[in-house]
Amino acid sequence: MYSRLAQCNRAAAPSRALGLRSRRSLASISDAHVAQFARDTPFPDYARLTSRLAVAREATGGRPLTLAEKYLFAHLADPRSASSAVRGSSALLLRPDRVAMQDASAQTAILQFMQAALPASRVPVSVHCDHLIAADTSSGTARDGASVAAANVATSYTENAEIYTFLSSASRRFGFDFWAPGNGIIHSLVLENYAAPGMLLLGTDSHTPNAGGAGAMAIGVGGADAVDAMCGIPWELAAPRVTGIRLTGKLQGWTSPKDVALYLLGQLTVRGGTGHILEYFGDALDTLSATACATIANMGAEMGATTSIFAYSDAIRTYLTHTHRGHLVSTLDSVRAPLLSADPEVHAAPGQYYDRVIEIDLSTLEPHLNGPFSPDRAIPLSQLRARAAAEGWPLAVSAALIGSCTNSSYEDMGRAADVLTSAVAAGAAPPATSLLVTPGSDAIRATLDRDGLTAKLTRVGATVLANACGPCIGQWKRGAGSESTAGPNVMVSSFNRNFAGRNDGNAQTLHFLASPETVAALALGGSLAFNPATDTLPAADGSDRAVTLRPPAADLPRLPARGFAAPAVHAERGAPDASVAVEIPPGSSRLERLPTWAAWGGGEVGGRVLVRVRGKCTTDHISAAGPWLKYKGHLTNIARNTLMTAVNDETGAVGTTLDVNGSSAAPIPDVARRLAAAGVPWVVVGDTNYGEGSAREHAALQVRFLGCPLVVARSFARIHETNLKKQGVVPLTFADPDVGYARMAAGVRIETHGLIGLMARAAEASGTTEGDVVDPHAVQLVVLDTAGEIVGEPIYMVNSLTRNQLAWIRAGGALNAIQAAQQAA
Ligand code: MIC
Ligand code: SF4
């Protein structure tokens, strides 16, 4: 499977991981190397997928299938079980084709995989170093993009040496592809190198669905889910409903593919996609590139969608050919109708086959800016000025950022560069605000350099950052740049998330999400009050000439006409090597082995209510990123941030709750740790969509580590709810959200009632599959007084625990269950 060429590249891994070499000093990778790497990369066995789908089709009586059903059914561990798949209620047991992990989440994923003691992963895995690289524009030669990027990558090698060494040694031991810092953002690299139509890909990051742009069904999961796939255990997913989104018309003027996602967020909100796959179809797809579809798929995560998918198309074929995967095309063409597109009946009568249908006419779609503080606050550009005035938002744009996994393709950069250079050529002044640009991958960076786009961007004052997450995840030494950092200030970006404090740690930064071209226009205008479609800018030469901006030219290339240039760095790949020791330095503050969770004790579970959380409580609130990212591999240390920015519903205070003494208030993580030290279990009470946002499994690991066996909420975000179950924590929702929630208060003792019975029934249940929810109403909550007596009526709760998941809870966590099964085998 692996070429000699790739093996050679692997040999350079240890020194590269430990060295401080920047990408500029590395010998360039040849185009032939990249092509060989692509040929050696395992892709799905399409003949097998097609024949499995045929079995599933027969089992479902030959009815017309949506694309989502085809992709899911072709990956069922037992395709005959398609007959019992019920959208929204049963669980599917699936066999993913591949796993991708980024450096922050890979740490705990690998630590858990190591506990399974397997010599190698059962599916191909790639590891990507992208989240830990901090953007510091004062490093390198200011305003010389290349130097800043190189300096930031070099610094990350110093700051994260032990993490990179851990990830690279684990990759060599277990045979993972390892993408060292500077290679690019996980989702851009997956799109460019691994994604393929019909593939089922799991990624330990919520924006994994980005690979949908190349036709994959790519799903964001916690590390423990990835471990299932890596151990060859069928991976469980609640059978999603399918939303059909018909795109018609053609984008006009300033409207961009990103605006499809921004508009849809306004319609569906951050919860509206929960439990759904978003399946796009319609004539307008012929007008969109694969990377444009990737942008749209990427932000399905913001709506809570399981994933977003696109059928195999000419655009995908062209993209694959441009990115060294042309050898797949004839096979893909041959299975296009049976496997890689929805059946024609579905699009002829979408209302019959989709659970919901949404129509969007691209011809009338407006550009949007979404924000601040939540990605679903969608504001049409034409209304922004009035809205800002009504809300009293500051107008001056203090930073404009183009990049992140959502919008960092060659096409995106080309559109932004075109707006900026055409405006300056027409007489406008270059942006006065800080303008930061992040290419998604080193191949994109190299191509932008070769094609003169980097020069265009830097000429108008942009700083090109390393190909990494950087400011998108709070890895931003913002004070070092020229932009204002204190107090309320406005930033605009082409990113996907804008939760308070996410980017620069300042909860007063108002962050608006937009397309690359809108960000470029607002950087030029310098104000939220500027609408490039209707307003003009003064001429830079002081004359009274008014400069009109023009949207990106219609004929800009979506893919580089000369193909992608070879990157300066690339993946390291080799066969698994059991002689490599995975390095966890003793006494490290960054890495420690994970504890083994205790099995369920056989009783009801519960404890003291730690805090009743109000409103938005994302995984960022439960386990903050930014400066905390460095502790991702050290549970004891990162647990000090637990729920640090959650809002206490009883007091309205951020990050504090009733202390163990029952009188004063103290930081939530401190109280949790005090309870843990005293051996007192505790419970979190969440609001709506608790655990929204990322796939960050630390949000579950940390509460488990600090002694929380139960989380109750008005509702949960999908990935977080699964992550809790995986770690052996019971998640329950209130049957009547208002009644139950109000009875919870910090310090109150609550306990489940019915868990013991449910466990017994799950163990006995015959004739049900492991993926069936055993009884959604079996477990209630009771409030206890200090003597342990029940106070008042029980609170009716709903659970979504399947037989399989109850086995995880019984074992104390999914990993314990895997180990037990392995020992029994
Ligand atoms: C994010 O965009 O929030 C992250 C950081 O990429 C997370 C992953 C993590 O927290 O490790 C995500 O999207 O899942
Ligand atoms: Fe990285 Fe931001 Fe994408 Fe998350 S959303 S993977 S932090 S670029």
Side-chain angles (χ1 to χ4, degrees):
M1 171 162 79
Y2 297 109
S3 71
R4 269 211 349 259
L5 201 66
Q7 295 274 12
C8 295
N9 196 25
R10 162 71 84 201
S15 58
R16 195 176 295 172
L18 286 169
L20 301 181
R21 287 186 257 174
S22 73
R23 68 172 192 228
R24 299 284 164 187
S25 63
L26 290 169
S28 270
I29 303 284
S30 72
D31 211 42
H33 174 93
V34 181
Q36 184 63 48
F37 180 89
R39 280 195 295 276
D40 290 341
T41 298
F43 286 99
D45 178 344
Y46 287 100
R48 188 162 185 274
L49 288 180
T50 312
S51 67
R52 294 179 78 79
L53 177 60
V55 174
R57 234 183 215 295
E58 208 185 306
T60 51
R63 66 178 167 82
L65 297 177
T66 61
L67 184 65
E69 286 168 317
K70 288 191 180 183
Y71 284 3
L72 289 169
F73 291 172
H75 288 90
L76 281 170
D78 174 2
R80 287 163 308 179
S81 67
S83 61
S84 56
V86 182
R87 295 184 197 174
S89 70
S90 62
L92 306 174
L93 293 174
L94 301 164
R95 295 228 171 256
D97 296 305
R98 162 173 289 282
V99 164
M101 310 196 269
Q102 38 88 343
D103 50 3
S105 54
Q107 297 173 46
T108 41
I110 291 175
L111 288 166
Q112 291 177 82
F113 177 65
M114 283 164 62
Q115 289 180 343
L118 291 180
S121 167
R122 299 266 158 82
V123 294
V125 175
S126 58
V127 172
H128 304 262
C129 298
D130 54 358
H131 281 60
L132 297 177
I133 301 167
D136 178 356
T137 47
S138 68
S139 298
T141 312
R143 299 254 153 179
D144 169 357
S147 303
V148 168
N152 290 178
V153 171
T155 306
S156 89
Y157 270 115
T158 325
E159 288 179 348
N160 305 298
E162 55 191 299
I163 302 302
Y164 295 153
T165 304
F166 169 74
L167 295 175
S168 111
S169 59
S171 298
R172 280 183 291 133
R173 183 177 176 109
F174 300 118
F176 308 154
D177 288 354
F178 178 70
W179 296 81
N183 268 292
I185 305 174
I186 174 171
H187 308 303
S188 310
L189 289 169
V190 166
L191 190 72
E192 223 168 76
N193 295 281
Y194 299 118
M199 165 185 281
L200 176 59
L201 175 121
L202 300 188
T204 59
D205 191 283
S206 63
H207 293 107
T208 303
N210 189 71
M217 173 174 272
I219 303 185
V221 294
D225 285 47
V227 170
D228 285 352
M230 289 157 71
C231 292
I233 293 168
W235 171 68
E236 188 183 295
L237 175 74
R241 297 182 203 277
V242 189
T243 297
I245 303 181
R246 192 207 300 264
L247 302 183
T248 53
K250 192 167 187 302
L251 294 168
Q252 308 287 327
W254 286 96
T255 313
S256 174
K258 174 74 162 269
D259 296 303
V260 173
L262 296 175
Y263 165 78
L264 206 51
L265 263 155
Q267 301 297 304
L268 291 180
T269 79
V270 289
R271 291 187 294 281
T274 309
H276 283 243
I277 288 180
L278 308 183
E279 179 170 320
Y280 287 86
F281 67 103
D283 296 347
L285 290 183
D286 297 340
T287 67
L288 298 176
S289 66
T291 49
C293 294
T295 296
I296 297 171
N298 179 295
M299 285 195 76
E302 275 46 66
M303 300 159 221
T306 304
T307 190
S308 300
I309 55 170
F310 293 85
Y312 177 49
S313 63
D314 294 352
I316 292 177
R317 187 196 290 110
T318 308
Y319 180 73
L320 293 174
T321 310
H322 259 76
T323 47
H324 300 285
R325 282 163 290 175
H327 59 286
L328 300 180
V329 158
S330 61
T331 307
L332 295 172
D333 287 346
S334 71
V335 295
R336 186 166 181 168
L339 181 67
L340 304 176
S341 12
D343 286 332
E345 295 87 338
V346 174
H347 294 167
Q352 276 179 40
Y353 298 96
Y354 293 120
D355 296 282
R356 156 175 87 173
V357 180
I358 298 173
E359 309 262 350
I360 304 178
D361 177 4
L362 302 194
S363 306
T364 55
L365 187 68
E366 265 202 74
H368 281 70
L369 278 98
N370 287 22
F373 309 132
S374 188
D376 56 356
R377 297 177 75 180
I379 309 169
L381 181 57
S382 59
Q383 295 170 24
L384 184 62
R385 183 178 9 224
R387 184 69 181 275
E391 303 269 358
W393 293 330
L395 295 178
V397 173
S398 64
L401 299 96
I402 298 168
S404 92
C405 56
T406 324
N407 275 120
S408 52
S409 64
Y410 182 82
E411 180 181 0
D412 291 331
M413 296 299 162
R415 289 166 75 86
D418 190 54
V419 168
L420 290 159
T421 46
S422 68
V424 172
T433 182
S434 164
L435 176 61
L436 306 177
V437 172
T438 308
S441 72
D442 204 51
I444 296 172
R445 190 274 314 153
T447 314
L448 296 174
D449 285 0
R450 183 201 62 195
D451 293 355
L453 289 164
T454 309
K456 280 188 177 175
L457 289 163
T458 51
R459 233 178 274 132
V460 295
T463 300
V464 181
L465 301 175
N467 319 307
C469 300
C472 181
I473 190 52
Q475 292 279 33
W476 188 13
K477 301 202 171 138
R478 193 174 177 195
S482 55
E483 64 281 341
S484 127
T485 54
N489 74 96
V490 168
M491 64 179 266
V492 289
S493 85
S494 72
F495 302 171
N496 46 31
R497 287 201 174 128
N498 54 358
F499 304 140
R502 173 175 166 102
N503 307 96
D504 58 2
N506 176 4
Q508 291 180 296
T509 295
L510 296 105
H511 177 184
F512 295 85
L513 308 167
S515 69
E517 51 264 49
T518 302
V519 172
L522 265 76
L524 287 158
S527 165
L528 284 187
F530 175 66
N531 179 351
T534 52
D535 302 342
T536 54
L537 291 176
D541 62 9
S543 64
D544 47 12
R545 200 159 46 94
V547 180
T548 304
L549 264 52
R550 67 153 175 77
D555 57 354
L556 288 177
R558 292 168 161 190
L559 286 164
R562 293 160 59 198
F564 280 96
V569 281
H570 204 254
E572 291 141 12
R573 170 182 278 178
D577 180 353
S579 71
V580 177
V582 180
E583 295 175 37
I584 302 180
S588 165
S589 65
R590 304 280 305 266
L591 283 167
E592 69 177 355
R593 286 188 191 275
L594 288 172
T596 303
W597 307 135
W600 173 59
E604 299 294 338
V605 301
R608 180 188 196 272
V609 172
L610 176 71
V611 58
R612 184 175 83 203
V613 171
R614 181 194 301 170
K616 207 182 219 6
C617 188
T618 69
T619 49
D620 278 12
H621 295 84
I622 309 172
S623 173
W628 292 92
L629 275 178
K630 60 175 172 294
Y631 297 123
K632 286 276 191 179
H634 199 290
L635 196 50
T636 311
N637 283 344
I638 199 167
R640 291 171 207 272
N641 76 5
T642 306
L643 288 157
M644 178 176 124
T645 53
V647 177
N648 183 328
D649 184 51
E650 293 175 79
T651 62
V654 174
T656 58
T657 192
L658 193 68
D659 204 350
V660 284
N661 60 14
S663 50
S664 57
I668 300 173
D670 293 0
V671 182
R673 284 163 63 227
R674 270 175 222 148
L675 291 170
V680 178
W682 49 269
V683 179
V684 185
V685 180
D687 204 331
T688 306
N689 209 24
Y690 181 77
E692 170 190 338
S694 75
R696 199 168 300 167
E697 84 179 325
H698 291 76
L701 280 165
Q702 291 174 216
V703 298
R704 175 63 155 120
F705 175 65
L706 294 176
C708 166
L710 173 69
V711 178
V712 297
R714 286 178 144 132
S715 63
F716 286 98
R718 172 187 65 88
I719 307 179
H720 184 59
E721 185 174 16
T722 308
N723 285 346
L724 287 170
K725 293 172 181 171
K726 285 263 162 180
Q727 300 306 332
V729 178
V730 176
L732 298 176
T733 52
F734 299 107
D736 180 338
D738 296 329
V739 174
Y741 179 81
R743 279 186 65 193
M744 303 288 111
V748 165
R749 268 183 68 201
I750 57 169
E751 198 172 84
T752 57
H753 177 73
L755 183 66
I756 302 175
L758 182 64
M759 284 287 196
R761 281 164 60 195
E764 283 158 14
S766 56
T768 57
T769 71
E770 290 174 339
D772 285 335
V773 174
V774 179
D775 180 350
H777 306 292
V779 184
Q780 320 307 338
L781 265 195
V782 289
V783 177
L784 304 175
D785 65 16
T786 45
E789 295 300 320
I790 295 177
V791 184
E793 293 296 308
I795 302 167
Y796 291 96
M797 305 298 289
V798 180
N799 76 79
S800 59
L801 291 158
T802 63
R803 265 184 73 196
N804 211 12
Q805 294 167 349
L806 283 161
W808 305 340
I809 308 275
R810 176 185 294 278
L815 206 59
N816 293 350
I818 295 178
Q819 282 167 336
Q822 271 166 358
Q823 276 155 17

